[in-house]
């Protein structure tokens, strides 16, 4: 669910997820994770929420929430920053982290089923599963979605191909012969735009891994959500401003003296960020003081770093 302008999302949440957001914001040990979770605005209860598609005070239900034991209208909702709303054409990838996909409270039957799923997918071996992704096709002017079944069906050896499908390189006449066959005609960024995004994304994910290696918690079913701009000119401007040495990266400039009557969108010269990466989905995340970090999640993040390194090599060769 989202609000009118799409800047925040509302997600029905169990107490564990609410608790985790609150812990990250209040527990000094989890401070390094703060830049890497969506901004958390609090919780609210949607009283009398009837069916989807119904608009309640500017809140539009887009899809029913997850099917948990407690029905959604009995749960509180968490209000989160919408990570894709600042992008013109967002490419979105959800990577499920970890090797263990059931939590303590799972029944014997569920545990066995989830262990089987982990074994039969890339989860157990690599600590990641590509849950799903969506890549903008500029020729069709529509996103192309790789469904859940794709990420569930592939083997570890095919992960680089999956990552290449999410980070395609745009065709250009001079590169036509070198472009990997798996990039569709209307998708992708030119290598000089894609490479700095991959490099900076890698740095962020390395920081996330560092933060999680010092956090004593267990994450079941949490994801890394990666969003980047598919609109080539916007991505190029974003890279120039936010990621390059000569870019005017001055975060304070323009933030002050906001009198309220100035239209941010029209007046400000700041281009949108070219990508964003955060951890999401903490329905089954809990703190385990004294028990060390979640090794399966750390394995997954190492896998992601290795996959990005591989992709960067390919993109560099096309520069
Ligand atoms: P669940 O898997 O329990 O349905 P998630 O929290 O994983 O719930 O959210 C499902 C999907 O919604 C994610 O894969 C992502 O595409 C999108 N999503 C979740 N949180 C955000 C957010 N803060 N901003 C943008 N998109 C989000
Ligand atoms: Mn999820």
């Amino acid at each position: 669910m989202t609000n009118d302008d799409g800047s925040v999302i509302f997600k029905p949440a169990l107490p564990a997820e609410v608790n985790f957001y609150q812990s990250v914001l209040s527990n000094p040990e989890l401070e390094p994770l703060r830049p890497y979770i969506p901004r958390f605005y609090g919780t609210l209860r949607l009283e009398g929420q009837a069916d989807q598609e119904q608009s309640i005070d500017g809140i539009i239900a887009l899809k029913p929430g997850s099917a948990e034991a407690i029905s959604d209208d009995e749960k509180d909702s968490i209000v989160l920053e919408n990570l894709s709303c600042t992008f013109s054409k967002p490419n979105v990838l959800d990577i499920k982290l970890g090797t263990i996909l059931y939590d303590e409270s799972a029944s014997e039957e569920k545990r066995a089923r989830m262990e089987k799923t982990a074994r039969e997918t890339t989860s157990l071996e690599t600590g990641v599963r590509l849950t799903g992704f969506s890549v903008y096709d500029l020729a069709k002017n529509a996103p192309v979605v790789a469904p859940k079944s794709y990420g569930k069906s592939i083997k570890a050896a095919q992960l680089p191909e999956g990552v290449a499908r999410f980070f395609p390189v745009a065709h250009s006449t001079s590169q036509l012969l070198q472009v990997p066959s798996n990039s569709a005609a209307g998708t992708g960024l030119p290598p000089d735009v894609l490479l700095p995004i991959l490099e900076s994304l890698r740095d962020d994910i390395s920081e996330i891994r560092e933060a999680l290696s010092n956090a004593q918690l267990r994450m079941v079913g949490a994801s890394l959500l990666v969003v980047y701009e598919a609109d080539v000119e916007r991505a190029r401007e974003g890279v120039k401003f936010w990621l390059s040495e000569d870019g005017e990266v001055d975060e304070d400039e323009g933030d002050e003296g906001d009198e309220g009557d100035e239209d941010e969108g029209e007046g400000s010269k700041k281009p949108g960020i070219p990508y964003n990466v955060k951890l999401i989905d903490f329905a089954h995340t809990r703190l385990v003081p004294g028990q060390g970090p979640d090794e399966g999640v750390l394995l997954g993040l190492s896998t992601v770093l290795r996959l990005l390194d591989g992709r960067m090599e390919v993109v560099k060769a096309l520069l």
Side-chain angles (χ1 to χ4, degrees), residues 9 11 17 38 63 66 80-84 92 94 223 225 280-281:
I9 63 159
K11 179 190 169 184
E17 185 155 33
K63 61 160 201 170
S66 52
L80 301 173
E81 159 194 20
N82 179 354
L83 300 169
S84 54
V92 185
D94 180 308
S223 290
L225 193 73
I280 63 159
D281 202 357

Side-chain angles (χ1 to χ4, degrees), residues 50-253:
D51 49 338
Q52 59 193 97
E53 312 291 354
Q54 190 178 356
S55 178
I56 308 157
D57 292 341
I59 296 165
I60 303 155
L62 294 179
K63 61 160 201 170
S66 52
E68 297 275 1
I70 312 167
S71 76
D72 283 345
D73 46 354
E74 291 169 53
K75 283 186 210 164
D76 283 346
S77 282
I78 49 175
V79 185
L80 301 173
E81 159 194 20
N82 179 354
L83 300 169
S84 54
C85 80
T86 63
F87 295 85
S88 160
K89 298 183 192 318
N91 291 338
V92 185
L93 166 64
D94 180 308
I95 305 176
K96 197 181 284 288
L97 295 171
T99 53
I100 296 172
L101 305 176
Y102 55 87
D103 71 15
E104 284 189 320
S105 64
S107 63
E108 239 351 277
E109 180 272 328
K110 177 156 189 186
R111 176 182 292 236
R113 189 154 45 83
M114 291 294 114
E115 281 176 350
K116 184 164 180 278
T117 303
R119 265 198 318 275
E120 290 174 350
T121 62
T122 53
S123 288
L124 185 66
E125 187 181 338
T126 70
V128 298
R129 193 175 92 208
L130 305 182
T131 317
F133 56 87
S134 159
V135 178
Y136 229 89
D137 187 325
L138 299 170
K140 296 185 191 139
N141 198 29
V144 180
V145 176
K148 224 172 176 169
S149 54
Y150 169 73
K152 267 196 152 175
S153 68
I154 63 172
K155 299 288 166 226
Q158 293 166 286
L159 282 171
E161 187 192 314
V163 168
R165 281 177 57 170
F166 181 63
F167 292 110
V169 176
H171 289 253
S172 74
T173 356
S174 63
Q175 285 149 359
L176 211 51
L177 296 174
Q178 303 165 55
V179 164
S181 59
N182 55 20
S183 76
T187 65
L189 294 176
D192 64 315
V193 180
L194 184 56
L195 187 61
I197 291 177
L198 290 170
E199 286 170 342
S200 184
L201 176 64
R202 192 205 189 279
D203 289 346
D204 289 350
I205 294 173
S206 179
E207 274 186 33
I208 293 174
R209 192 181 186 287
E210 179 65 21
L212 284 175
S213 71
N214 293 310
Q216 315 208 41
L217 48 73
R218 295 293 174 269
M219 286 181 156
V220 171
S223 290
L224 203 56
L225 193 73
V226 179
V227 186
Y228 75 99
E229 181 60 60
D231 180 296
V232 177
E233 281 326 303
R234 284 183 66 125
R236 191 184 293 283
E237 277 174 34
V239 164
K240 185 155 183 268
F241 186 87
W242 296 104
L243 305 181
S244 70
E245 296 291 310
D246 52 306
E248 309 146 76
V249 183
D250 186 352
E251 297 225 27
D252 296 330
E253 200 189 308

Side-chain angles (χ1 to χ4, degrees), residues 238-280:
V239 164
K240 185 155 183 268
F241 186 87
W242 296 104
L243 305 181
S244 70
E245 296 291 310
D246 52 306
E248 309 146 76
V249 183
D250 186 352
E251 297 225 27
D252 296 330
E253 200 189 308
D255 282 355
E256 288 153 50
D258 198 343
E259 308 281 277
D261 52 5
E262 216 184 312
D263 189 348
E264 275 248 14
E266 307 289 337
S268 105
K269 295 270 183 301
K270 255 193 233 179
I273 53 173
Y275 77 94
N276 203 353
V277 59
K278 303 276 190 247
L279 292 163
I280 63 159

